[in-house]
PDB file of all heavy atoms in Angstrom:
ATOM      1  N   THR A1408      -5.167 -95.559 -24.259  1.00 88.00           N
ATOM      2  CA  THR A1408      -4.013 -95.586 -23.358  1.00 88.00           C
ATOM      3  C   THR A1408      -2.943 -94.602 -23.802  1.00 88.00           C
ATOM      4  O   THR A1408      -2.373 -93.864 -22.998  1.00 88.00           O
ATOM      5  CB  THR A1408      -3.414 -97.008 -23.298  1.00 88.00           C
ATOM      6  OG1 THR A1408      -4.399 -97.913 -22.795  1.00 88.00           O
ATOM      7  CG2 THR A1408      -2.187 -97.037 -22.390  1.00 88.00           C
ATOM      8  N   ALA A1409      -2.679 -94.583 -25.122  1.00 87.00           N
ATOM      9  CA  ALA A1409      -1.653 -93.675 -25.654  1.00 87.00           C
ATOM     10  C   ALA A1409      -2.040 -92.222 -25.430  1.00 87.00           C
ATOM     11  O   ALA A1409      -1.211 -91.394 -25.047  1.00 87.00           O
ATOM     12  CB  ALA A1409      -1.434 -93.941 -27.143  1.00 87.00           C
ATOM     13  N   VAL A1410      -3.303 -91.912 -25.650  1.00 88.00           N
ATOM     14  CA  VAL A1410      -3.781 -90.532 -25.509  1.00 88.00           C
ATOM     15  C   VAL A1410      -3.717 -90.075 -24.052  1.00 88.00           C
ATOM     16  O   VAL A1410      -3.404 -88.918 -23.767  1.00 88.00           O
ATOM     17  CB  VAL A1410      -5.214 -90.398 -26.054  1.00 88.00           C
ATOM     18  CG1 VAL A1410      -5.815 -89.041 -25.690  1.00 88.00           C
ATOM     19  CG2 VAL A1410      -5.218 -90.587 -27.573  1.00 88.00           C
ATOM     20  N   ASN A1411      -3.975 -90.996 -23.138  1.00 86.00           N
ATOM     21  CA  ASN A1411      -4.014 -90.644 -21.719  1.00 86.00           C
ATOM     22  C   ASN A1411      -2.673 -90.799 -21.016  1.00 86.00           C
ATOM     23  O   ASN A1411      -2.571 -90.578 -19.811  1.00 86.00           O
ATOM     24  CB  ASN A1411      -5.066 -91.503 -20.998  1.00 86.00           C
ATOM     25  CG  ASN A1411      -6.478 -91.164 -21.438  1.00 86.00           C
ATOM     26  OD1 ASN A1411      -6.780 -90.009 -21.732  1.00 86.00           O
ATOM     27  ND2 ASN A1411      -7.337 -92.165 -21.507  1.00 86.00           N
ATOM     28  N   THR A1412      -1.655 -91.212 -21.767  1.00 81.00           N
ATOM     29  CA  THR A1412      -0.313 -91.355 -21.189  1.00 81.00           C
ATOM     30  C   THR A1412       0.435 -90.046 -21.338  1.00 81.00           C
ATOM     31  O   THR A1412       0.622 -89.539 -22.455  1.00 81.00           O
ATOM     32  CB  THR A1412       0.469 -92.476 -21.887  1.00 81.00           C
ATOM     33  OG1 THR A1412      -0.219 -93.713 -21.698  1.00 81.00           O
ATOM     34  CG2 THR A1412       1.875 -92.585 -21.299  1.00 81.00           C
ATOM     35  N   GLU A1413       0.860 -89.493 -20.227  1.00 75.00           N
ATOM     36  CA  GLU A1413       1.598 -88.230 -20.266  1.00 75.00           C
ATOM     37  C   GLU A1413       3.075 -88.518 -20.516  1.00 75.00           C
ATOM     38  O   GLU A1413       3.718 -89.258 -19.769  1.00 75.00           O
ATOM     39  CB  GLU A1413       1.453 -87.471 -18.949  1.00 75.00           C
ATOM     40  CG  GLU A1413       2.152 -86.120 -18.962  1.00 75.00           C
ATOM     41  CD  GLU A1413       2.022 -85.376 -17.641  1.00 75.00           C
ATOM     42  OE1 GLU A1413       1.492 -85.965 -16.680  1.00 75.00           O
ATOM     43  OE2 GLU A1413       2.457 -84.223 -17.578  1.00 75.00           O
ATOM     44  N   MET A1414       3.606 -87.953 -21.567  1.00 74.00           N
ATOM     45  CA  MET A1414       5.014 -88.144 -21.908  1.00 74.00           C
ATOM     46  C   MET A1414       5.731 -86.804 -21.750  1.00 74.00           C
ATOM     47  O   MET A1414       5.356 -85.811 -22.368  1.00 74.00           O
ATOM     48  CB  MET A1414       5.158 -88.679 -23.336  1.00 74.00           C
ATOM     49  CG  MET A1414       4.411 -89.980 -23.564  1.00 74.00           C
ATOM     50  SD  MET A1414       4.746 -90.728 -25.172  1.00 74.00           S
ATOM     51  CE  MET A1414       6.421 -91.286 -24.959  1.00 74.00           C
ATOM     52  N   ILE A1415       6.740 -86.813 -20.909  1.00 75.00           N
ATOM     53  CA  ILE A1415       7.461 -85.581 -20.602  1.00 75.00           C
ATOM     54  C   ILE A1415       8.825 -85.606 -21.279  1.00 75.00           C
ATOM     55  O   ILE A1415       9.612 -86.537 -21.080  1.00 75.00           O
ATOM     56  CB  ILE A1415       7.634 -85.414 -19.080  1.00 75.00           C
ATOM     57  CG1 ILE A1415       6.261 -85.359 -18.395  1.00 75.00           C
ATOM     58  CG2 ILE A1415       8.435 -84.159 -18.763  1.00 75.00           C
ATOM     59  CD1 ILE A1415       6.340 -85.358 -16.892  1.00 75.00           C
ATOM     60  N   THR A1416       9.093 -84.604 -22.086  1.00 78.00           N
ATOM     61  CA  THR A1416      10.400 -84.457 -22.724  1.00 78.00           C
ATOM     62  C   THR A1416      11.238 -83.500 -21.886  1.00 78.00           C
ATOM     63  O   THR A1416      10.761 -82.449 -21.467  1.00 78.00           O
ATOM     64  CB  THR A1416      10.254 -83.895 -24.153  1.00 78.00           C
ATOM     65  OG1 THR A1416       9.396 -84.748 -24.902  1.00 78.00           O
ATOM     66  CG2 THR A1416      11.614 -83.820 -24.839  1.00 78.00           C
ATOM     67  N   VAL A1417      12.482 -83.900 -21.634  1.00 79.00           N
ATOM     68  CA  VAL A1417      13.364 -83.048 -20.835  1.00 79.00           C
ATOM     69  C   VAL A1417      14.649 -82.760 -21.611  1.00 79.00           C
ATOM     70  O   VAL A1417      15.004 -83.474 -22.543  1.00 79.00           O
ATOM     71  CB  VAL A1417      13.712 -83.703 -19.484  1.00 79.00           C
ATOM     72  CG1 VAL A1417      12.463 -83.912 -18.648  1.00 79.00           C
ATOM     73  CG2 VAL A1417      14.447 -85.031 -19.679  1.00 79.00           C
ATOM     74  N   ALA A1418      15.316 -81.708 -21.198  1.00 83.00           N
ATOM     75  CA  ALA A1418      16.587 -81.342 -21.825  1.00 83.00           C
ATOM     76  C   ALA A1418      17.657 -82.344 -21.402  1.00 83.00           C
ATOM     77  O   ALA A1418      17.814 -82.633 -20.219  1.00 83.00           O
ATOM     78  CB  ALA A1418      16.991 -79.936 -21.410  1.00 83.00           C
ATOM     79  N   SER A1419      18.386 -82.878 -22.361  1.00 81.00           N
ATOM     80  CA  SER A1419      19.419 -83.864 -22.050  1.00 81.00           C
ATOM     81  C   SER A1419      20.718 -83.201 -21.601  1.00 81.00           C
ATOM     82  O   SER A1419      21.596 -83.857 -21.036  1.00 81.00           O
ATOM     83  CB  SER A1419      19.694 -84.738 -23.276  1.00 81.00           C
ATOM     84  OG  SER A1419      20.156 -83.946 -24.361  1.00 81.00           O
ATOM     85  N   LYS A1420      20.843 -81.895 -21.846  1.00 86.00           N
ATOM     86  CA  LYS A1420      22.037 -81.142 -21.447  1.00 86.00           C
ATOM     87  C   LYS A1420      21.602 -79.804 -20.857  1.00 86.00           C
ATOM     88  O   LYS A1420      20.519 -79.306 -21.141  1.00 86.00           O
ATOM     89  CB  LYS A1420      22.933 -80.866 -22.659  1.00 86.00           C
ATOM     90  CG  LYS A1420      23.462 -82.099 -23.377  1.00 86.00           C
ATOM     91  CD  LYS A1420      24.661 -82.677 -22.690  1.00 86.00           C
ATOM     92  CE  LYS A1420      25.269 -83.815 -23.518  1.00 86.00           C
ATOM     93  NZ  LYS A1420      26.434 -84.414 -22.833  1.00 86.00           N
ATOM     94  N   SER A1421      22.480 -79.237 -20.058  1.00 90.00           N
ATOM     95  CA  SER A1421      22.294 -77.845 -19.660  1.00 90.00           C
ATOM     96  C   SER A1421      22.851 -76.974 -20.781  1.00 90.00           C
ATOM     97  O   SER A1421      23.831 -77.338 -21.439  1.00 90.00           O
ATOM     98  CB  SER A1421      23.037 -77.551 -18.359  1.00 90.00           C
ATOM     99  OG  SER A1421      22.449 -78.238 -17.276  1.00 90.00           O
ATOM    100  N   ILE A1422      22.230 -75.821 -21.009  1.00 91.00           N
ATOM    101  CA  ILE A1422      22.672 -74.914 -22.069  1.00 91.00           C
ATOM    102  C   ILE A1422      22.797 -73.520 -21.481  1.00 91.00           C
ATOM    103  O   ILE A1422      21.889 -73.034 -20.796  1.00 91.00           O
ATOM    104  CB  ILE A1422      21.685 -74.885 -23.250  1.00 91.00           C
ATOM    105  CG1 ILE A1422      21.380 -76.309 -23.718  1.00 91.00           C
ATOM    106  CG2 ILE A1422      22.247 -74.067 -24.401  1.00 91.00           C
ATOM    107  CD1 ILE A1422      20.303 -76.385 -24.774  1.00 91.00           C
ATOM    108  N   GLY A1423      23.932 -72.885 -21.722  1.00 93.00           N
ATOM    109  CA  GLY A1423      24.151 -71.577 -21.131  1.00 93.00           C
ATOM    110  C   GLY A1423      24.968 -70.662 -22.016  1.00 93.00           C
ATOM    111  O   GLY A1423      25.330 -70.994 -23.144  1.00 93.00           O
ATOM    112  N   ILE A1424      25.261 -69.489 -21.470  1.00 94.00           N
ATOM    113  CA  ILE A1424      25.993 -68.463 -22.215  1.00 94.00           C
ATOM    114  C   ILE A1424      27.200 -68.023 -21.406  1.00 94.00           C
ATOM    115  O   ILE A1424      27.186 -68.049 -20.170  1.00 94.00           O
ATOM    116  CB  ILE A1424      25.073 -67.263 -22.537  1.00 94.00           C
ATOM    117  CG1 ILE A1424      25.711 -66.357 -23.583  1.00 94.00           C
ATOM    118  CG2 ILE A1424      24.682 -66.494 -21.270  1.00 94.00           C
ATOM    119  CD1 ILE A1424      24.722 -65.420 -24.239  1.00 94.00           C
ATOM    120  N   ARG A1425      28.249 -67.628 -22.102  1.00 95.00           N
ATOM    121  CA  ARG A1425      29.468 -67.213 -21.407  1.00 95.00           C
ATOM    122  C   ARG A1425      29.274 -65.858 -20.739  1.00 95.00           C
ATOM    123  O   ARG A1425      28.815 -64.899 -21.355  1.00 95.00           O
ATOM    124  CB  ARG A1425      30.640 -67.117 -22.393  1.00 95.00           C
ATOM    125  CG  ARG A1425      31.991 -66.952 -21.693  1.00 95.00           C
ATOM    126  CD  ARG A1425      33.087 -66.629 -22.677  1.00 95.00           C
ATOM    127  NE  ARG A1425      33.003 -65.248 -23.154  1.00 95.00           N
ATOM    128  CZ  ARG A1425      33.965 -64.642 -23.847  1.00 95.00           C
ATOM    129  NH1 ARG A1425      35.076 -65.305 -24.154  1.00 95.00           N
ATOM    130  NH2 ARG A1425      33.815 -63.395 -24.247  1.00 95.00           N
ATOM    131  N   VAL A1426      29.639 -65.799 -19.442  1.00 94.00           N
ATOM    132  CA  VAL A1426      29.591 -64.545 -18.692  1.00 94.00           C
ATOM    133  C   VAL A1426      30.829 -64.482 -17.800  1.00 94.00           C
ATOM    134  O   VAL A1426      31.509 -65.477 -17.577  1.00 94.00           O
ATOM    135  CB  VAL A1426      28.314 -64.441 -17.813  1.00 94.00           C
ATOM    136  CG1 VAL A1426      27.060 -64.535 -18.655  1.00 94.00           C
ATOM    137  CG2 VAL A1426      28.311 -65.518 -16.735  1.00 94.00           C
ATOM    138  N   LYS A1427      31.103 -63.294 -17.283  1.00 93.00           N
ATOM    139  CA  LYS A1427      32.160 -63.133 -16.289  1.00 93.00           C
ATOM    140  C   LYS A1427      31.546 -63.216 -14.906  1.00 93.00           C
ATOM    141  O   LYS A1427      30.536 -62.552 -14.623  1.00 93.00           O
ATOM    142  CB  LYS A1427      32.851 -61.771 -16.448  1.00 93.00           C
ATOM    143  CG  LYS A1427      33.952 -61.730 -17.481  1.00 93.00           C
ATOM    144  CD  LYS A1427      34.626 -60.359 -17.460  1.00 93.00           C
ATOM    145  CE  LYS A1427      35.755 -60.293 -18.484  1.00 93.00           C
ATOM    146  NZ  LYS A1427      36.404 -58.940 -18.485  1.00 93.00           N
ATOM    147  N   ASN A1428      32.160 -64.026 -14.028  1.00 90.00           N
ATOM    148  CA  ASN A1428      31.644 -64.062 -12.668  1.00 90.00           C
ATOM    149  C   ASN A1428      32.238 -62.922 -11.850  1.00 90.00           C
ATOM    150  O   ASN A1428      32.974 -62.074 -12.377  1.00 90.00           O
ATOM    151  CB  ASN A1428      31.904 -65.427 -12.013  1.00 90.00           C
ATOM    152  CG  ASN A1428      33.386 -65.729 -11.858  1.00 90.00           C
ATOM    153  OD1 ASN A1428      34.234 -64.847 -11.966  1.00 90.00           O
ATOM    154  ND2 ASN A1428      33.705 -66.986 -11.590  1.00 90.00           N
ATOM    155  N   LYS A1429      31.948 -62.882 -10.560  1.00 88.00           N
ATOM    156  CA  LYS A1429      32.387 -61.769  -9.713  1.00 88.00           C
ATOM    157  C   LYS A1429      33.902 -61.690  -9.589  1.00 88.00           C
ATOM    158  O   LYS A1429      34.462 -60.634  -9.285  1.00 88.00           O
ATOM    159  CB  LYS A1429      31.758 -61.893  -8.320  1.00 88.00           C
ATOM    160  CG  LYS A1429      30.239 -61.746  -8.315  1.00 88.00           C
ATOM    161  CD  LYS A1429      29.811 -60.399  -8.864  1.00 88.00           C
ATOM    162  CE  LYS A1429      28.308 -60.238  -8.840  1.00 88.00           C
ATOM    163  NZ  LYS A1429      27.879 -58.938  -9.411  1.00 88.00           N
ATOM    164  N   GLU A1430      34.573 -62.824  -9.828  1.00 88.00           N
ATOM    165  CA  GLU A1430      36.039 -62.830  -9.758  1.00 88.00           C
ATOM    166  C   GLU A1430      36.682 -62.480 -11.098  1.00 88.00           C
ATOM    167  O   GLU A1430      37.906 -62.506 -11.232  1.00 88.00           O
ATOM    168  CB  GLU A1430      36.531 -64.210  -9.303  1.00 88.00           C
ATOM    169  CG  GLU A1430      36.234 -64.546  -7.847  1.00 88.00           C
ATOM    170  CD  GLU A1430      34.761 -64.829  -7.615  1.00 88.00           C
ATOM    171  OE1 GLU A1430      34.155 -65.519  -8.462  1.00 88.00           O
ATOM    172  OE2 GLU A1430      34.207 -64.336  -6.605  1.00 88.00           O
ATOM    173  N   GLY A1431      35.864 -62.172 -12.097  1.00 88.00           N
ATOM    174  CA  GLY A1431      36.393 -61.817 -13.408  1.00 88.00           C
ATOM    175  C   GLY A1431      36.730 -63.011 -14.272  1.00 88.00           C
ATOM    176  O   GLY A1431      37.332 -62.870 -15.332  1.00 88.00           O
ATOM    177  N   LYS A1432      36.328 -64.207 -13.841  1.00 92.00           N
ATOM    178  CA  LYS A1432      36.611 -65.421 -14.605  1.00 92.00           C
ATOM    179  C   LYS A1432      35.418 -65.740 -15.511  1.00 92.00           C
ATOM    180  O   LYS A1432      34.262 -65.618 -15.113  1.00 92.00           O
ATOM    181  CB  LYS A1432      36.853 -66.588 -13.645  1.00 92.00           C
ATOM    182  CG  LYS A1432      37.051 -67.931 -14.332  1.00 92.00           C
ATOM    183  CD  LYS A1432      37.141 -69.046 -13.292  1.00 92.00           C
ATOM    184  CE  LYS A1432      37.223 -70.404 -13.977  1.00 92.00           C
ATOM    185  NZ  LYS A1432      37.231 -71.520 -12.997  1.00 92.00           N
ATOM    186  N   PHE A1433      35.712 -66.172 -16.747  1.00 94.00           N
ATOM    187  CA  PHE A1433      34.641 -66.567 -17.657  1.00 94.00           C
ATOM    188  C   PHE A1433      34.081 -67.922 -17.231  1.00 94.00           C
ATOM    189  O   PHE A1433      34.834 -68.888 -17.014  1.00 94.00           O
ATOM    190  CB  PHE A1433      35.148 -66.646 -19.097  1.00 94.00           C
ATOM    191  CG  PHE A1433      35.265 -65.305 -19.763  1.00 94.00           C
ATOM    192  CD1 PHE A1433      36.502 -64.837 -20.191  1.00 94.00           C
ATOM    193  CD2 PHE A1433      34.145 -64.523 -19.972  1.00 94.00           C
ATOM    194  CE1 PHE A1433      36.612 -63.599 -20.812  1.00 94.00           C
ATOM    195  CE2 PHE A1433      34.243 -63.285 -20.591  1.00 94.00           C
ATOM    196  CZ  PHE A1433      35.488 -62.819 -21.007  1.00 94.00           C
ATOM    197  N   VAL A1434      32.763 -67.995 -17.128  1.00 94.00           N
ATOM    198  CA  VAL A1434      32.070 -69.240 -16.820  1.00 94.00           C
ATOM    199  C   VAL A1434      30.859 -69.347 -17.740  1.00 94.00           C
ATOM    200  O   VAL A1434      30.510 -68.391 -18.443  1.00 94.00           O
ATOM    201  CB  VAL A1434      31.602 -69.299 -15.343  1.00 94.00           C
ATOM    202  CG1 VAL A1434      32.788 -69.281 -14.394  1.00 94.00           C
ATOM    203  CG2 VAL A1434      30.633 -68.158 -15.030  1.00 94.00           C
ATOM    204  N   CYS A1435      30.222 -70.500 -17.729  1.00 95.00           N
ATOM    205  CA  CYS A1435      28.965 -70.678 -18.463  1.00 95.00           C
ATOM    206  C   CYS A1435      27.823 -70.541 -17.471  1.00 95.00           C
ATOM    207  O   CYS A1435      27.780 -71.236 -16.452  1.00 95.00           O
ATOM    208  CB  CYS A1435      28.932 -72.051 -19.129  1.00 95.00           C
ATOM    209  SG  CYS A1435      27.359 -72.428 -19.935  1.00 95.00           S
ATOM    210  N   TYR A1436      26.903 -69.623 -17.752  1.00 95.00           N
ATOM    211  CA  TYR A1436      25.708 -69.454 -16.924  1.00 95.00           C
ATOM    212  C   TYR A1436      24.575 -70.196 -17.619  1.00 95.00           C
ATOM    213  O   TYR A1436      24.169 -69.839 -18.724  1.00 95.00           O
ATOM    214  CB  TYR A1436      25.365 -67.981 -16.750  1.00 95.00           C
ATOM    215  CG  TYR A1436      24.205 -67.733 -15.811  1.00 95.00           C
ATOM    216  CD1 TYR A1436      24.420 -67.496 -14.458  1.00 95.00           C
ATOM    217  CD2 TYR A1436      22.888 -67.758 -16.273  1.00 95.00           C
ATOM    218  CE1 TYR A1436      23.350 -67.290 -13.592  1.00 95.00           C
ATOM    219  CE2 TYR A1436      21.811 -67.560 -15.421  1.00 95.00           C
ATOM    220  CZ  TYR A1436      22.058 -67.325 -14.072  1.00 95.00           C
ATOM    221  OH  TYR A1436      21.002 -67.128 -13.216  1.00 95.00           O
ATOM    222  N   ASN A1437      24.059 -71.243 -16.982  1.00 94.00           N
ATOM    223  CA  ASN A1437      23.033 -72.088 -17.600  1.00 94.00           C
ATOM    224  C   ASN A1437      21.651 -71.459 -17.487  1.00 94.00           C
ATOM    225  O   ASN A1437      21.112 -71.322 -16.382  1.00 94.00           O
ATOM    226  CB  ASN A1437      23.026 -73.470 -16.941  1.00 94.00           C
ATOM    227  CG  ASN A1437      24.257 -74.281 -17.297  1.00 94.00           C
ATOM    228  OD1 ASN A1437      24.788 -74.164 -18.397  1.00 94.00           O
ATOM    229  ND2 ASN A1437      24.718 -75.092 -16.366  1.00 94.00           N
ATOM    230  N   LEU A1438      21.080 -71.085 -18.623  1.00 94.00           N
ATOM    231  CA  LEU A1438      19.706 -70.604 -18.637  1.00 94.00           C
ATOM    232  C   LEU A1438      18.729 -71.765 -18.721  1.00 94.00           C
ATOM    233  O   LEU A1438      17.590 -71.660 -18.274  1.00 94.00           O
ATOM    234  CB  LEU A1438      19.482 -69.642 -19.803  1.00 94.00           C
ATOM    235  CG  LEU A1438      19.963 -68.200 -19.545  1.00 94.00           C
ATOM    236  CD1 LEU A1438      21.411 -68.048 -19.928  1.00 94.00           C
ATOM    237  CD2 LEU A1438      19.113 -67.214 -20.298  1.00 94.00           C
ATOM    238  N   ILE A1439      19.158 -72.862 -19.332  1.00 91.00           N
ATOM    239  CA  ILE A1439      18.358 -74.085 -19.357  1.00 91.00           C
ATOM    240  C   ILE A1439      19.184 -75.165 -18.686  1.00 91.00           C
ATOM    241  O   ILE A1439      20.336 -75.404 -19.061  1.00 91.00           O
ATOM    242  CB  ILE A1439      17.999 -74.490 -20.795  1.00 91.00           C
ATOM    243  CG1 ILE A1439      17.039 -73.453 -21.397  1.00 91.00           C
ATOM    244  CG2 ILE A1439      17.375 -75.885 -20.837  1.00 91.00           C
ATOM    245  CD1 ILE A1439      16.713 -73.683 -22.848  1.00 91.00           C
ATOM    246  N   GLU A1440      18.607 -75.803 -17.678  1.00 90.00           N
ATOM    247  CA  GLU A1440      19.338 -76.825 -16.941  1.00 90.00           C
ATOM    248  C   GLU A1440      18.938 -78.220 -17.392  1.00 90.00           C
ATOM    249  O   GLU A1440      17.803 -78.463 -17.805  1.00 90.00           O
ATOM    250  CB  GLU A1440      19.090 -76.684 -15.434  1.00 90.00           C
ATOM    251  CG  GLU A1440      19.689 -75.420 -14.845  1.00 90.00           C
ATOM    252  CD  GLU A1440      19.547 -75.369 -13.337  1.00 90.00           C
ATOM    253  OE1 GLU A1440      19.782 -76.397 -12.675  1.00 90.00           O
ATOM    254  OE2 GLU A1440      19.180 -74.293 -12.813  1.00 90.00           O
ATOM    255  N   LYS A1441      19.897 -79.110 -17.332  1.00 85.00           N
ATOM    256  CA  LYS A1441      19.651 -80.515 -17.647  1.00 85.00           C
ATOM    257  C   LYS A1441      18.440 -81.009 -16.863  1.00 85.00           C
ATOM    258  O   LYS A1441      18.305 -80.723 -15.687  1.00 85.00           O
ATOM    259  CB  LYS A1441      20.895 -81.318 -17.269  1.00 85.00           C
ATOM    260  CG  LYS A1441      20.876 -82.798 -17.644  1.00 85.00           C
ATOM    261  CD  LYS A1441      22.131 -83.459 -17.123  1.00 85.00           C
ATOM    262  CE  LYS A1441      22.144 -84.955 -17.383  1.00 85.00           C
ATOM    263  NZ  LYS A1441      22.893 -85.311 -18.589  1.00 85.00           N
ATOM    264  N   GLN A1442      17.574 -81.733 -17.551  1.00 80.00           N
ATOM    265  CA  GLN A1442      16.344 -82.302 -16.999  1.00 80.00           C
ATOM    266  C   GLN A1442      15.201 -81.292 -16.904  1.00 80.00           C
ATOM    267  O   GLN A1442      14.124 -81.641 -16.426  1.00 80.00           O
ATOM    268  CB  GLN A1442      16.570 -82.950 -15.618  1.00 80.00           C
ATOM    269  CG  GLN A1442      17.596 -84.068 -15.608  1.00 80.00           C
ATOM    270  CD  GLN A1442      17.247 -85.225 -16.540  1.00 80.00           C
ATOM    271  OE1 GLN A1442      16.095 -85.609 -16.632  1.00 80.00           O
ATOM    272  NE2 GLN A1442      18.229 -85.770 -17.233  1.00 80.00           N
ATOM    273  N   ASN A1443      15.397 -80.047 -17.350  1.00 85.00           N
ATOM    274  CA  ASN A1443      14.266 -79.123 -17.452  1.00 85.00           C
ATOM    275  C   ASN A1443      13.267 -79.677 -18.466  1.00 85.00           C
ATOM    276  O   ASN A1443      13.655 -80.178 -19.531  1.00 85.00           O
ATOM    277  CB  ASN A1443      14.725 -77.745 -17.927  1.00 85.00           C
ATOM    278  CG  ASN A1443      15.300 -76.885 -16.813  1.00 85.00           C
ATOM    279  OD1 ASN A1443      15.872 -75.848 -17.070  1.00 85.00           O
ATOM    280  ND2 ASN A1443      15.150 -77.300 -15.568  1.00 85.00           N
ATOM    281  N   GLU A1444      11.983 -79.550 -18.153  1.00 84.00           N
ATOM    282  CA  GLU A1444      10.960 -80.002 -19.090  1.00 84.00           C
ATOM    283  C   GLU A1444      10.921 -79.070 -20.294  1.00 84.00           C
ATOM    284  O   GLU A1444      11.034 -77.862 -20.164  1.00 84.00           O
ATOM    285  CB  GLU A1444       9.601 -80.028 -18.393  1.00 84.00           C
ATOM    286  CG  GLU A1444       8.494 -80.634 -19.217  1.00 84.00           C
ATOM    287  CD  GLU A1444       7.182 -80.741 -18.460  1.00 84.00           C
ATOM    288  OE1 GLU A1444       7.211 -80.670 -17.216  1.00 84.00           O
ATOM    289  OE2 GLU A1444       6.127 -80.892 -19.120  1.00 84.00           O
TER     290      GLU A1444
END
């Protein structure tokens, strides 16, 4: 049962890097989103 049980690990947080958006404001651009496997 354990071997045949698929266990999916997901990211508990989104993780990103600081970038400037089109308005010149600094934002975080998420390269990894919360709940990504």
Side-chain angles (χ1 to χ4, degrees):
T1408 299
V1410 170
N1411 292 326
T1412 298
E1413 183 181 6
M1414 303 187 71
I1415 300 173
T1416 303
V1417 298
S1419 61
K1420 299 279 187 181
S1421 292
I1422 309 174
I1424 194 163
R1425 191 190 74 168
V1426 301
K1427 276 185 179 179
N1428 63 15
K1429 295 301 181 182
E1430 290 72 42
K1432 175 186 175 183
F1433 281 118
V1434 296
C1435 175
Y1436 185 93
N1437 289 327
L1438 279 88
I1439 293 175
E1440 292 185 43
K1441 185 184 176 97
Q1442 301 301 320
N1443 279 170
E1444 187 176 342

